[in-house]
Structure formats: structure tokens, C-alpha cells
Amino acid sequence: MAKKIVVIPGDGIGKEITESAVAVMKKTAEKFKLELNFEYHDAGGTAYDKFGTPLPDETVKAAKASDGVLFGAVGGDKWDNVEPGLRPEKAILGLRKSLGLYANLRPVKVSETLVEYSPLKSDVVRGVDLVIVRELIGGIYFGDRCESEQHDGAERAWDLENYSVPEVERIARLAFETARIRNKKVTSVDKSNVLATSRLWRRTVTKLADEYKDVELDHLYVDNCAMQLAIKPTQFDVICTGNLFGDILSDEAAVLGGSIGMMPSASIGKETSLFEPIHGSAPDIAGKGIANPIGTILSAAMLLRYSLREEPAAKAIEAACDAALADGYRTPDLYKDGFKKANTDKMTEAILDRI
Ligand code: NAD
Ligand code: IPM
Ligand code: MN
């Protein structure tokens, strides 16, 4: 039966990179005899300009009714001063919430080809293979907030963090299950030396570990984890953490393999899942046709794997990306003398040729 993929390009480089990923999905579908129908929808600043809202109801409805969502990126300086509730970023936050996407899987694997591109020494990053399991619809991102109020004669603003036991259990369970089919180690990251939410997080994860005696569990404070990612990133298998810490740690972890432009993610819930690169709309390079499309293409591979259960097709895309890199193609974020300079289109073509 035909599968419906909703594509949400969004803003900035979002359009360029989703176009690449759709081309790769189409070629892969042809090769593996899959019937995929693509439907495009607006979100972000682009949707705000057209409809006065960053997340039209129609986009949410279509996403819910699809077999998988491929998301580009939203945001840009143009919308930095719109009312907070109408910012482009509300589109991705709203989609995560309305689809119930409680878990964001952000894998970071440093291939031998890219070891020398890391800002860290080759010896430090060689062999890195970790996944960040980030809680995605709770914590300080979704707590009450106040943009501005008067308090003791001064203006102030506040954001509240809260986590419930079921919320922590649900994400920790997924982290343990993920570790079980990987290298059987979970590092839970919190700030329980200071925050009440983190103390509840640590208690809950520790208790749940009784059900996963085959998986090793340790705990790190988030500040130490940030340092450990730079000192010895190979110590990690599955990192399980809350929404804000996961956001920050995953950009840090992304560069272990050279560029944030390479990193995919899967946001999963009970029903429809959404797949997106971890980077943003990259306003500094938008429109130039030079963005690295690999993070989005690998997100499309994750869509095939997790939503459509088409493992061979997913593997074919991953292998084609590896092969294009091994054959020397490099977008500017990774380019060095002696390699083949590729813009977005050329990189996409190199990958298409290798499907
Ligand atoms: P960013 O990830 O967009 O860019 C950070 C840096 O990485 C920039 O120098 C950019 O050129 C580079 N970069 C990112 N993706 C790249 C790619 N595919 N190829 C080559 N280089 C790439 O982060 P930012 O600059 O902090 O944010 C820009 C806008 O994007 C903001 O409005 C932010 O809110 C938004 N954002 C959106 C998402 C999302 O939609 N999921 C994620 C992160 C940031
Ligand atoms: C990400 C982004 C988003 C986040 C923003 C755009 C809301 O940074 O997907 O990592 O903070 O979750
Ligand atoms: Mn982020």
C-alpha cells in the first residue's frame, strides 16, 4: 500500500535540504519498489508570512494523518521580533507536542572517513558511537512562563521546569530499551546537585534500572557530561536526558563527527513520528545552495527504518552517504584541500548515484 510522507521544508536552508532528501527517498523507493506519496506543508516563518501563524492547523492535521513526517528547519532573523507565541520555532515545538513526540533520538557515529574533520584529536573521537535520547515534550520548554513582570521594582521574566514520574519513566524506558540492542550502557544526565526536577529524574531512572539489570547505568551532572563529551566521548553508549540539557549536549556531540550538518534525528511518540536534522535554518548560508544535506538525508533513512520498517532501504541510504564521503565529496562545512568541492546539488547527486 502507498505510504504518505508529509514534507515540511520550513525556512532558510530547510527548503534546500528537504529537496535533497526527497530526491534520495524517491530514488530509493524506485530501487526497493516502495510506493511513497509526498505531500508538502508550510510551517515556521514562511507559514507566519502566508497565514499569520507558524503552525497552520492543516499542517498538524496532515502530519497526524501521515505515515511519517520529514521536517527541514524553521527560524530566521526576519522573525526575531514577532510576538513570542508566533515565533517560527513554535512550529516545531507545536508539532512535537501535538504528535506526542516524547523522545528524540540523536545518534552520533564518527566514521573513519570523518575522524580527521573533528575539532578534537583523532584519537579522542575515533570509534565514537553514541545516541542521545532527549525528552522532547516536557521540562522547561513547556512549563509556565512569564515574558515580563514587575517584581521588587525591577522587570523580570521566568520559565518553570517540571517533570512528572511518568514522563521520566517513559523516556528512561526507551533509553534502556535502546541500550539493550546497542552496547548496554545508559548514562543519565541531570543537575541533581541543584534542581528538584533533576532529583526526581535521578530517583526515577535509578528505580527503573531494576527492570534492566542487563544494562549498566551511571549518572552524570550535565556540566561534567559536557566536559566528558570533549575529553572521552567513546565512554558513552546511550545518553538519556531532559529537553534543555539534551538540546545543548546534542549540538556539542554533533561536531565530534565534523559538522552539525551531518546529524539526523528521529522524534518518536506513540503514532506518527517526525524526522529532522538537529541543526537549524542556518540563515548565514541560506539561499546559497551550499548547505550539507546529509543530516536531512540520514533523517529520511531513519524515517524508512522506524516509521516504514524498511530496513534495507534505510541502510542503502546510509551506505550511499558513506560512499559519497569516502569518494571525497565535501560540502563547504567539511571541505579541505585535495577533496571534491560539492554544493548541495552536487553532494545530493553523488549520493543518488550511489543508491
Ligand atoms: P543553526 O543550526 O541554524 O546554525 C548554526 C551554524 O551551523 C551556522 O553557522 C550554520 O551555517 C551551520 N549549519 C547548520 N546546518 C548546516 C548545514 N546543513 N550545512 C552546513 N552548515 C550548517 O543554528 P542557529 O544559527 O543557532 O539558529 C538559526 C535559526 O534556526 C534560529 O532561528 C533557530 O531558532 C533555528 N533552529 C531551528 C531548528 C529546527 O527547526 N529544528 C533547530 C535549531 C535551530
Ligand atoms: C532543536 C532546536 C529546537 C529545540 C528549537 C528550534 C525550538 O534547537 O531541534 O534542537 O530547541 O528543540
Ligand atoms: Mn537545538
PDB file of all heavy atoms in Angstrom, residues 13 17 71-77 80 87 89 92 96 106 251 259-262 276-285 290-293 331 333, ligand 1:
ATOM      1  N   ILE A  13      17.615  27.179   5.039  1.00  0.00           N
ATOM      2  CA  ILE A  13      18.100  26.032   4.259  1.00  0.00           C
ATOM      3  C   ILE A  13      17.117  24.863   4.272  1.00  0.00           C
ATOM      4  O   ILE A  13      17.342  23.868   3.583  1.00  0.00           O
ATOM      5  CB  ILE A  13      19.490  25.532   4.740  1.00  0.00           C
ATOM      6  CG1 ILE A  13      19.431  25.054   6.195  1.00  0.00           C
ATOM      7  CG2 ILE A  13      20.557  26.594   4.531  1.00  0.00           C
ATOM      8  CD1 ILE A  13      20.674  24.276   6.633  1.00  0.00           C
ATOM      9  N   ILE A  17      17.540  21.496   1.801  1.00  0.00           N
ATOM     10  CA  ILE A  17      17.921  20.164   2.298  1.00  0.00           C
ATOM     11  C   ILE A  17      16.785  19.151   2.204  1.00  0.00           C
ATOM     12  O   ILE A  17      17.034  17.969   1.979  1.00  0.00           O
ATOM     13  CB  ILE A  17      18.442  20.254   3.759  1.00  0.00           C
ATOM     14  CG1 ILE A  17      17.425  20.954   4.659  1.00  0.00           C
ATOM     15  CG2 ILE A  17      19.811  20.949   3.794  1.00  0.00           C
ATOM     16  CD1 ILE A  17      17.818  21.086   6.109  1.00  0.00           C
ATOM     17  N   PHE A  71      10.963  16.817   8.337  1.00  0.00           N
ATOM     18  CA  PHE A  71      10.955  18.237   8.694  1.00  0.00           C
ATOM     19  C   PHE A  71      12.324  18.845   8.395  1.00  0.00           C
ATOM     20  O   PHE A  71      13.350  18.250   8.705  1.00  0.00           O
ATOM     21  CB  PHE A  71      10.628  18.353  10.193  1.00  0.00           C
ATOM     22  CG  PHE A  71      10.404  19.749  10.671  1.00  0.00           C
ATOM     23  CD1 PHE A  71       9.126  20.314  10.647  1.00  0.00           C
ATOM     24  CD2 PHE A  71      11.460  20.511  11.153  1.00  0.00           C
ATOM     25  CE1 PHE A  71       8.913  21.606  11.096  1.00  0.00           C
ATOM     26  CE2 PHE A  71      11.252  21.813  11.607  1.00  0.00           C
ATOM     27  CZ  PHE A  71       9.979  22.354  11.575  1.00  0.00           C
ATOM     28  N   GLY A  72      12.334  20.035   7.783  1.00  0.00           N
ATOM     29  CA  GLY A  72      13.607  20.706   7.482  1.00  0.00           C
ATOM     30  C   GLY A  72      14.095  21.500   8.675  1.00  0.00           C
ATOM     31  O   GLY A  72      14.722  20.965   9.592  1.00  0.00           O
ATOM     32  N   ALA A  73      13.781  22.785   8.708  1.00  0.00           N
ATOM     33  CA  ALA A  73      14.164  23.628   9.846  1.00  0.00           C
ATOM     34  C   ALA A  73      13.331  24.892   9.798  1.00  0.00           C
ATOM     35  O   ALA A  73      12.843  25.273   8.730  1.00  0.00           O
ATOM     36  CB  ALA A  73      15.643  23.993   9.766  1.00  0.00           C
ATOM     37  N   VAL A  74      13.171  25.530  10.938  1.00  0.00           N
ATOM     38  CA  VAL A  74      12.436  26.791  10.974  1.00  0.00           C
ATOM     39  C   VAL A  74      13.243  27.859  11.695  1.00  0.00           C
ATOM     40  O   VAL A  74      14.155  27.548  12.461  1.00  0.00           O
ATOM     41  CB  VAL A  74      11.063  26.639  11.681  1.00  0.00           C
ATOM     42  CG1 VAL A  74      10.088  25.840  10.829  1.00  0.00           C
ATOM     43  CG2 VAL A  74      11.228  26.001  13.060  1.00  0.00           C
ATOM     44  N   GLY A  75      12.883  29.117  11.430  1.00  0.00           N
ATOM     45  CA  GLY A  75      13.510  30.224  12.143  1.00  0.00           C
ATOM     46  C   GLY A  75      14.319  31.117  11.230  1.00  0.00           C
ATOM     47  O   GLY A  75      14.625  30.759  10.097  1.00  0.00           O
ATOM     48  N   GLY A  76      14.628  32.292  11.747  1.00  0.00           N
ATOM     49  CA  GLY A  76      15.429  33.244  10.983  1.00  0.00           C
ATOM     50  C   GLY A  76      15.291  34.630  11.568  1.00  0.00           C
ATOM     51  O   GLY A  76      14.303  34.943  12.234  1.00  0.00           O
ATOM     52  N   ASP A  77      16.303  35.471  11.293  1.00  0.00           N
ATOM     53  CA  ASP A  77      16.364  36.817  11.884  1.00  0.00           C
ATOM     54  C   ASP A  77      15.099  37.632  11.574  1.00  0.00           C
ATOM     55  O   ASP A  77      14.661  38.439  12.378  1.00  0.00           O
ATOM     56  CB  ASP A  77      17.555  37.613  11.328  1.00  0.00           C
ATOM     57  CG  ASP A  77      18.799  36.747  11.212  1.00  0.00           C
ATOM     58  OD1 ASP A  77      18.816  35.674  11.859  1.00  0.00           O
ATOM     59  OD2 ASP A  77      19.739  37.132  10.478  1.00  0.00           O
ATOM     60  N   ASP A  80      12.646  37.466  14.311  1.00  0.00           N
ATOM     61  CA  ASP A  80      13.143  37.521  15.689  1.00  0.00           C
ATOM     62  C   ASP A  80      12.301  38.413  16.595  1.00  0.00           C
ATOM     63  O   ASP A  80      12.301  38.241  17.811  1.00  0.00           O
ATOM     64  CB  ASP A  80      14.611  37.976  15.727  1.00  0.00           C
ATOM     65  CG  ASP A  80      15.552  36.784  15.572  1.00  0.00           C
ATOM     66  OD1 ASP A  80      15.046  35.640  15.620  1.00  0.00           O
ATOM     67  OD2 ASP A  80      16.757  36.995  15.399  1.00  0.00           O
ATOM     68  N   ARG A  87       6.462  32.948  17.111  1.00  0.00           N
ATOM     69  CA  ARG A  87       7.810  32.736  16.538  1.00  0.00           C
ATOM     70  C   ARG A  87       7.822  31.456  15.700  1.00  0.00           C
ATOM     71  O   ARG A  87       7.107  30.501  16.003  1.00  0.00           O
ATOM     72  CB  ARG A  87       8.842  32.581  17.671  1.00  0.00           C
ATOM     73  CG  ARG A  87       9.221  33.864  18.391  1.00  0.00           C
ATOM     74  CD  ARG A  87      10.336  33.561  19.391  1.00  0.00           C
ATOM     75  NE  ARG A  87      11.554  33.126  18.689  1.00  0.00           N
ATOM     76  CZ  ARG A  87      12.592  33.918  18.455  1.00  0.00           C
ATOM     77  NH1 ARG A  87      12.584  35.155  18.869  1.00  0.00           N
ATOM     78  NH2 ARG A  87      13.655  33.451  17.811  1.00  0.00           N
ATOM     79  N   GLU A  89       9.853  29.057  15.693  1.00  0.00           N
ATOM     80  CA  GLU A  89      10.217  27.881  16.494  1.00  0.00           C
ATOM     81  C   GLU A  89       8.993  27.221  17.113  1.00  0.00           C
ATOM     82  O   GLU A  89       9.012  26.034  17.445  1.00  0.00           O
ATOM     83  CB  GLU A  89      11.210  28.277  17.606  1.00  0.00           C
ATOM     84  CG  GLU A  89      12.599  28.654  17.110  1.00  0.00           C
ATOM     85  CD  GLU A  89      12.718  30.100  16.628  1.00  0.00           C
ATOM     86  OE1 GLU A  89      11.688  30.817  16.620  1.00  0.00           O
ATOM     87  OE2 GLU A  89      13.836  30.516  16.251  1.00  0.00           O
ATOM     88  N   ILE A  92       7.843  23.898  15.329  1.00  0.00           N
ATOM     89  CA  ILE A  92       8.398  22.578  15.638  1.00  0.00           C
ATOM     90  C   ILE A  92       7.999  22.152  17.054  1.00  0.00           C
ATOM     91  O   ILE A  92       7.682  20.988  17.308  1.00  0.00           O
ATOM     92  CB  ILE A  92       9.932  22.518  15.399  1.00  0.00           C
ATOM     93  CG1 ILE A  92      10.468  21.108  15.617  1.00  0.00           C
ATOM     94  CG2 ILE A  92      10.719  23.508  16.236  1.00  0.00           C
ATOM     95  CD1 ILE A  92       9.912  20.068  14.690  1.00  0.00           C
ATOM     96  N   ARG A  96       5.791  18.784  17.805  1.00  0.00           N
ATOM     97  CA  ARG A  96       6.240  17.767  18.766  1.00  0.00           C
ATOM     98  C   ARG A  96       5.143  17.502  19.790  1.00  0.00           C
ATOM     99  O   ARG A  96       4.843  16.350  20.108  1.00  0.00           O
ATOM    100  CB  ARG A  96       7.522  18.242  19.465  1.00  0.00           C
ATOM    101  CG  ARG A  96       8.745  18.251  18.554  1.00  0.00           C
ATOM    102  CD  ARG A  96       9.929  18.939  19.227  1.00  0.00           C
ATOM    103  NE  ARG A  96      11.090  19.003  18.351  1.00  0.00           N
ATOM    104  CZ  ARG A  96      12.164  19.745  18.581  1.00  0.00           C
ATOM    105  NH1 ARG A  96      12.224  20.515  19.667  1.00  0.00           N
ATOM    106  NH2 ARG A  96      13.189  19.746  17.746  1.00  0.00           N
ATOM    107  N   ARG A 106      19.054  11.097  18.887  1.00  0.00           N
ATOM    108  CA  ARG A 106      20.077  11.813  18.121  1.00  0.00           C
ATOM    109  C   ARG A 106      21.367  10.991  18.090  1.00  0.00           C
ATOM    110  O   ARG A 106      22.205  11.104  18.989  1.00  0.00           O
ATOM    111  CB  ARG A 106      20.303  13.197  18.719  1.00  0.00           C
ATOM    112  CG  ARG A 106      19.048  14.054  18.659  1.00  0.00           C
ATOM    113  CD  ARG A 106      19.242  15.501  19.042  1.00  0.00           C
ATOM    114  NE  ARG A 106      18.173  16.311  18.451  1.00  0.00           N
ATOM    115  CZ  ARG A 106      18.087  17.631  18.557  1.00  0.00           C
ATOM    116  NH1 ARG A 106      18.979  18.315  19.222  1.00  0.00           N
ATOM    117  NH2 ARG A 106      17.089  18.279  17.966  1.00  0.00           N
ATOM    118  N   ASP A 251      24.064  19.492  20.294  1.00  0.00           N
ATOM    119  CA  ASP A 251      24.869  20.324  19.377  1.00  0.00           C
ATOM    120  C   ASP A 251      26.358  20.104  19.649  1.00  0.00           C
ATOM    121  O   ASP A 251      27.170  20.065  18.717  1.00  0.00           O
ATOM    122  CB  ASP A 251      24.552  21.819  19.552  1.00  0.00           C
ATOM    123  CG  ASP A 251      23.452  22.309  18.603  1.00  0.00           C
ATOM    124  OD1 ASP A 251      22.536  21.518  18.285  1.00  0.00           O
ATOM    125  OD2 ASP A 251      23.506  23.483  18.174  1.00  0.00           O
ATOM    126  N   SER A 259      30.718  18.074  11.561  1.00  0.00           N
ATOM    127  CA  SER A 259      29.787  19.160  11.247  1.00  0.00           C
ATOM    128  C   SER A 259      28.381  18.830  11.714  1.00  0.00           C
ATOM    129  O   SER A 259      27.912  17.699  11.566  1.00  0.00           O
ATOM    130  CB  SER A 259      29.755  19.393   9.738  1.00  0.00           C
ATOM    131  OG  SER A 259      28.644  20.201   9.393  1.00  0.00           O
ATOM    132  N   ILE A 260      27.710  19.843  12.220  1.00  0.00           N
ATOM    133  CA  ILE A 260      26.325  19.670  12.645  1.00  0.00           C
ATOM    134  C   ILE A 260      25.434  19.338  11.443  1.00  0.00           C
ATOM    135  O   ILE A 260      24.374  18.730  11.586  1.00  0.00           O
ATOM    136  CB  ILE A 260      25.822  20.935  13.387  1.00  0.00           C
ATOM    137  CG1 ILE A 260      24.530  20.653  14.151  1.00  0.00           C
ATOM    138  CG2 ILE A 260      25.639  22.109  12.421  1.00  0.00           C
ATOM    139  CD1 ILE A 260      24.084  21.756  15.077  1.00  0.00           C
ATOM    140  N   GLY A 261      25.897  19.693  10.250  1.00  0.00           N
ATOM    141  CA  GLY A 261      25.116  19.433   9.029  1.00  0.00           C
ATOM    142  C   GLY A 261      24.935  17.958   8.703  1.00  0.00           C
ATOM    143  O   GLY A 261      24.167  17.594   7.825  1.00  0.00           O
ATOM    144  N   MET A 262      25.642  17.094   9.437  1.00  0.00           N
ATOM    145  CA  MET A 262      25.608  15.653   9.161  1.00  0.00           C
ATOM    146  C   MET A 262      24.631  14.898  10.056  1.00  0.00           C
ATOM    147  O   MET A 262      24.470  13.702   9.902  1.00  0.00           O
ATOM    148  CB  MET A 262      26.979  15.055   9.486  1.00  0.00           C
ATOM    149  CG  MET A 262      28.132  15.694   8.809  1.00  0.00           C
ATOM    150  SD  MET A 262      28.360  14.961   7.228  1.00  0.00           S
ATOM    151  CE  MET A 262      28.568  13.276   7.722  1.00  0.00           C
ATOM    152  N   GLU A 276      14.017  14.859  11.564  1.00  0.00           N
ATOM    153  CA  GLU A 276      14.572  16.185  11.282  1.00  0.00           C
ATOM    154  C   GLU A 276      16.057  16.199  11.585  1.00  0.00           C
ATOM    155  O   GLU A 276      16.515  15.532  12.516  1.00  0.00           O
ATOM    156  CB  GLU A 276      13.870  17.246  12.145  1.00  0.00           C
ATOM    157  CG  GLU A 276      13.837  16.874  13.626  1.00  0.00           C
ATOM    158  CD  GLU A 276      13.243  17.958  14.542  1.00  0.00           C
ATOM    159  OE1 GLU A 276      13.413  19.142  14.244  1.00  0.00           O
ATOM    160  OE2 GLU A 276      12.644  17.592  15.563  1.00  0.00           O
ATOM    161  N   PRO A 277      16.825  16.969  10.803  1.00  0.00           N
ATOM    162  CA  PRO A 277      18.223  17.144  11.175  1.00  0.00           C
ATOM    163  C   PRO A 277      18.273  17.913  12.482  1.00  0.00           C
ATOM    164  O   PRO A 277      17.283  18.579  12.826  1.00  0.00           O
ATOM    165  CB  PRO A 277      18.787  17.991  10.033  1.00  0.00           C
ATOM    166  CG  PRO A 277      17.606  18.743   9.502  1.00  0.00           C
ATOM    167  CD  PRO A 277      16.442  17.811   9.655  1.00  0.00           C
ATOM    168  N   ILE A 278      19.385  17.854  13.205  1.00  0.00           N
ATOM    169  CA  ILE A 278      19.371  18.554  14.503  1.00  0.00           C
ATOM    170  C   ILE A 278      19.720  20.031  14.365  1.00  0.00           C
ATOM    171  O   ILE A 278      19.506  20.811  15.264  1.00  0.00           O
ATOM    172  CB  ILE A 278      20.283  17.873  15.552  1.00  0.00           C
ATOM    173  CG1 ILE A 278      21.740  18.250  15.380  1.00  0.00           C
ATOM    174  CG2 ILE A 278      20.130  16.371  15.556  1.00  0.00           C
ATOM    175  CD1 ILE A 278      22.513  17.993  16.653  1.00  0.00           C
ATOM    176  N   HIS A 279      20.246  20.409  13.187  1.00  0.00           N
ATOM    177  CA  HIS A 279      20.615  21.817  13.012  1.00  0.00           C
ATOM    178  C   HIS A 279      19.392  22.667  12.695  1.00  0.00           C
ATOM    179  O   HIS A 279      18.288  22.144  12.493  1.00  0.00           O
ATOM    180  CB  HIS A 279      21.663  21.957  11.900  1.00  0.00           C
ATOM    181  CG  HIS A 279      21.190  21.478  10.564  1.00  0.00           C
ATOM    182  ND1 HIS A 279      20.274  22.177   9.803  1.00  0.00           N
ATOM    183  CD2 HIS A 279      21.493  20.362   9.843  1.00  0.00           C
ATOM    184  CE1 HIS A 279      20.047  21.521   8.673  1.00  0.00           C
ATOM    185  NE2 HIS A 279      20.764  20.407   8.676  1.00  0.00           N
ATOM    186  N   GLY A 280      19.628  23.986  12.617  1.00  0.00           N
ATOM    187  CA  GLY A 280      18.538  24.897  12.334  1.00  0.00           C
ATOM    188  C   GLY A 280      18.522  25.366  10.893  1.00  0.00           C
ATOM    189  O   GLY A 280      19.055  24.693   9.999  1.00  0.00           O
ATOM    190  N   SER A 281      17.935  26.548  10.692  1.00  0.00           N
ATOM    191  CA  SER A 281      17.699  27.051   9.332  1.00  0.00           C
ATOM    192  C   SER A 281      18.928  27.734   8.746  1.00  0.00           C
ATOM    193  O   SER A 281      18.886  28.205   7.607  1.00  0.00           O
ATOM    194  CB  SER A 281      16.514  28.012   9.365  1.00  0.00           C
ATOM    195  OG  SER A 281      16.791  29.048  10.300  1.00  0.00           O
ATOM    196  N   ALA A 282      20.005  27.810   9.518  1.00  0.00           N
ATOM    197  CA  ALA A 282      21.300  28.343   9.056  1.00  0.00           C
ATOM    198  C   ALA A 282      21.158  29.601   8.201  1.00  0.00           C
ATOM    199  O   ALA A 282      21.545  29.608   7.032  1.00  0.00           O
ATOM    200  CB  ALA A 282      22.071  27.258   8.303  1.00  0.00           C
ATOM    201  N   PRO A 283      20.623  30.681   8.782  1.00  0.00           N
ATOM    202  CA  PRO A 283      20.396  31.897   7.984  1.00  0.00           C
ATOM    203  C   PRO A 283      21.670  32.409   7.301  1.00  0.00           C
ATOM    204  O   PRO A 283      21.584  33.012   6.236  1.00  0.00           O
ATOM    205  CB  PRO A 283      19.905  32.910   9.025  1.00  0.00           C
ATOM    206  CG  PRO A 283      19.443  32.111  10.188  1.00  0.00           C
ATOM    207  CD  PRO A 283      20.219  30.844  10.196  1.00  0.00           C
ATOM    208  N   ASP A 284      22.834  32.124   7.902  1.00  0.00           N
ATOM    209  CA  ASP A 284      24.081  32.644   7.313  1.00  0.00           C
ATOM    210  C   ASP A 284      24.417  32.031   5.958  1.00  0.00           C
ATOM    211  O   ASP A 284      25.158  32.615   5.182  1.00  0.00           O
ATOM    212  CB  ASP A 284      25.264  32.471   8.300  1.00  0.00           C
ATOM    213  CG  ASP A 284      25.399  31.054   8.855  1.00  0.00           C
ATOM    214  OD1 ASP A 284      24.386  30.304   8.869  1.00  0.00           O
ATOM    215  OD2 ASP A 284      26.516  30.687   9.271  1.00  0.00           O
ATOM    216  N   ILE A 285      23.882  30.842   5.668  1.00  0.00           N
ATOM    217  CA  ILE A 285      24.189  30.230   4.370  1.00  0.00           C
ATOM    218  C   ILE A 285      22.927  29.959   3.530  1.00  0.00           C
ATOM    219  O   ILE A 285      23.031  29.411   2.434  1.00  0.00           O
ATOM    220  CB  ILE A 285      25.003  28.916   4.528  1.00  0.00           C
ATOM    221  CG1 ILE A 285      24.240  27.899   5.398  1.00  0.00           C
ATOM    222  CG2 ILE A 285      26.385  29.188   5.103  1.00  0.00           C
ATOM    223  CD1 ILE A 285      24.823  26.481   5.302  1.00  0.00           C
ATOM    224  N   ILE A 290      24.587  25.788  -0.588  1.00  0.00           N
ATOM    225  CA  ILE A 290      25.821  25.118  -0.135  1.00  0.00           C
ATOM    226  C   ILE A 290      25.620  24.317   1.154  1.00  0.00           C
ATOM    227  O   ILE A 290      26.581  23.779   1.715  1.00  0.00           O
ATOM    228  CB  ILE A 290      26.973  26.132   0.089  1.00  0.00           C
ATOM    229  CG1 ILE A 290      26.557  27.216   1.090  1.00  0.00           C
ATOM    230  CG2 ILE A 290      27.398  26.761  -1.243  1.00  0.00           C
ATOM    231  CD1 ILE A 290      27.718  28.090   1.558  1.00  0.00           C
ATOM    232  N   ALA A 291      24.387  24.247   1.642  1.00  0.00           N
ATOM    233  CA  ALA A 291      24.152  23.515   2.904  1.00  0.00           C
ATOM    234  C   ALA A 291      24.463  22.035   2.729  1.00  0.00           C
ATOM    235  O   ALA A 291      24.245  21.461   1.660  1.00  0.00           O
ATOM    236  CB  ALA A 291      22.692  23.679   3.321  1.00  0.00           C
ATOM    237  N   ASN A 292      24.952  21.452   3.791  1.00  0.00           N
ATOM    238  CA  ASN A 292      25.180  20.000   3.795  1.00  0.00           C
ATOM    239  C   ASN A 292      23.814  19.302   3.946  1.00  0.00           C
ATOM    240  O   ASN A 292      23.131  19.498   4.952  1.00  0.00           O
ATOM    241  CB  ASN A 292      26.088  19.650   4.983  1.00  0.00           C
ATOM    242  CG  ASN A 292      26.564  18.212   4.953  1.00  0.00           C
ATOM    243  OD1 ASN A 292      25.913  17.369   4.337  1.00  0.00           O
ATOM    244  ND2 ASN A 292      27.675  17.938   5.600  1.00  0.00           N
ATOM    245  N   PRO A 293      23.418  18.500   2.970  1.00  0.00           N
ATOM    246  CA  PRO A 293      22.092  17.872   3.054  1.00  0.00           C
ATOM    247  C   PRO A 293      22.102  16.544   3.817  1.00  0.00           C
ATOM    248  O   PRO A 293      21.050  15.930   4.008  1.00  0.00           O
ATOM    249  CB  PRO A 293      21.766  17.611   1.579  1.00  0.00           C
ATOM    250  CG  PRO A 293      23.099  17.340   0.933  1.00  0.00           C
ATOM    251  CD  PRO A 293      24.116  18.175   1.696  1.00  0.00           C
ATOM    252  N   THR A 331      30.821  19.096   1.176  1.00  0.00           N
ATOM    253  CA  THR A 331      30.212  20.430   1.168  1.00  0.00           C
ATOM    254  C   THR A 331      31.145  21.368   1.945  1.00  0.00           C
ATOM    255  O   THR A 331      32.032  20.902   2.671  1.00  0.00           O
ATOM    256  CB  THR A 331      28.804  20.374   1.811  1.00  0.00           C
ATOM    257  OG1 THR A 331      28.855  19.528   2.968  1.00  0.00           O
ATOM    258  CG2 THR A 331      27.769  19.840   0.823  1.00  0.00           C
ATOM    259  N   ASP A 333      31.156  23.029   4.623  1.00  0.00           N
ATOM    260  CA  ASP A 333      31.339  22.872   6.073  1.00  0.00           C
ATOM    261  C   ASP A 333      32.408  21.831   6.397  1.00  0.00           C
ATOM    262  O   ASP A 333      32.936  21.805   7.514  1.00  0.00           O
ATOM    263  CB  ASP A 333      30.002  22.506   6.755  1.00  0.00           C
ATOM    264  CG  ASP A 333      29.300  21.314   6.106  1.00  0.00           C
ATOM    265  OD1 ASP A 333      29.369  21.181   4.871  1.00  0.00           O
ATOM    266  OD2 ASP A 333      28.700  20.506   6.834  1.00  0.00           O
TER     267      ASP A 333
HETATM  268  P1  NAD B   1      21.895  26.590  13.061  1.00  0.00           P
HETATM  269  O1  NAD B   1      21.971  25.146  13.342  1.00  0.00           O
HETATM  270  O2  NAD B   1      20.871  27.021  12.086  1.00  0.00           O
HETATM  271  O3  NAD B   1      23.312  27.100  12.556  1.00  0.00           O
HETATM  272  C1  NAD B   1      24.490  27.018  13.368  1.00  0.00           C
HETATM  273  C2  NAD B   1      25.729  27.027  12.445  1.00  0.00           C
HETATM  274  O4  NAD B   1      25.812  25.751  11.785  1.00  0.00           O
HETATM  275  C3  NAD B   1      25.667  28.068  11.344  1.00  0.00           C
HETATM  276  O5  NAD B   1      26.951  28.577  11.117  1.00  0.00           O
HETATM  277  C4  NAD B   1      25.197  27.290  10.127  1.00  0.00           C
HETATM  278  O6  NAD B   1      25.632  27.803   8.889  1.00  0.00           O
HETATM  279  C5  NAD B   1      25.808  25.900  10.394  1.00  0.00           C
HETATM  280  N1  NAD B   1      24.971  24.854   9.795  1.00  0.00           N
HETATM  281  C6  NAD B   1      23.776  24.408  10.270  1.00  0.00           C
HETATM  282  N2  NAD B   1      23.278  23.484   9.452  1.00  0.00           N
HETATM  283  C7  NAD B   1      24.156  23.329   8.437  1.00  0.00           C
HETATM  284  C8  NAD B   1      24.186  22.518   7.271  1.00  0.00           C
HETATM  285  N3  NAD B   1      23.206  21.653   6.983  1.00  0.00           N
HETATM  286  N4  NAD B   1      25.257  22.622   6.433  1.00  0.00           N
HETATM  287  C9  NAD B   1      26.255  23.470   6.722  1.00  0.00           C
HETATM  288  N5  NAD B   1      26.283  24.271   7.800  1.00  0.00           N
HETATM  289  C10 NAD B   1      25.242  24.203   8.649  1.00  0.00           C
HETATM  290  O7  NAD B   1      21.666  27.303  14.456  1.00  0.00           O
HETATM  291  P2  NAD B   1      21.408  28.857  14.814  1.00  0.00           P
HETATM  292  O8  NAD B   1      22.204  29.723  13.900  1.00  0.00           O
HETATM  293  O9  NAD B   1      21.613  28.947  16.255  1.00  0.00           O
HETATM  294  O10 NAD B   1      19.875  29.079  14.531  1.00  0.00           O
HETATM  295  C11 NAD B   1      19.351  29.615  13.315  1.00  0.00           C
HETATM  296  C12 NAD B   1      17.827  29.551  13.355  1.00  0.00           C
HETATM  297  O11 NAD B   1      17.405  28.181  13.300  1.00  0.00           O
HETATM  298  C13 NAD B   1      17.203  30.105  14.638  1.00  0.00           C
HETATM  299  O12 NAD B   1      16.029  30.797  14.286  1.00  0.00           O
HETATM  300  C14 NAD B   1      16.891  28.876  15.470  1.00  0.00           C
HETATM  301  O13 NAD B   1      15.838  29.066  16.379  1.00  0.00           O
HETATM  302  C15 NAD B   1      16.526  27.900  14.393  1.00  0.00           C
HETATM  303  N6  NAD B   1      16.676  26.474  14.743  1.00  0.00           N
HETATM  304  C16 NAD B   1      15.707  25.639  14.263  1.00  0.00           C
HETATM  305  C17 NAD B   1      15.798  24.282  14.462  1.00  0.00           C
HETATM  306  C18 NAD B   1      14.701  23.405  13.939  1.00  0.00           C
HETATM  307  O14 NAD B   1      13.903  23.857  13.135  1.00  0.00           O
HETATM  308  N7  NAD B   1      14.614  22.150  14.336  1.00  0.00           N
HETATM  309  C19 NAD B   1      16.923  23.750  15.118  1.00  0.00           C
HETATM  310  C20 NAD B   1      17.908  24.636  15.583  1.00  0.00           C
HETATM  311  C21 NAD B   1      17.776  25.989  15.383  1.00  0.00           C
END
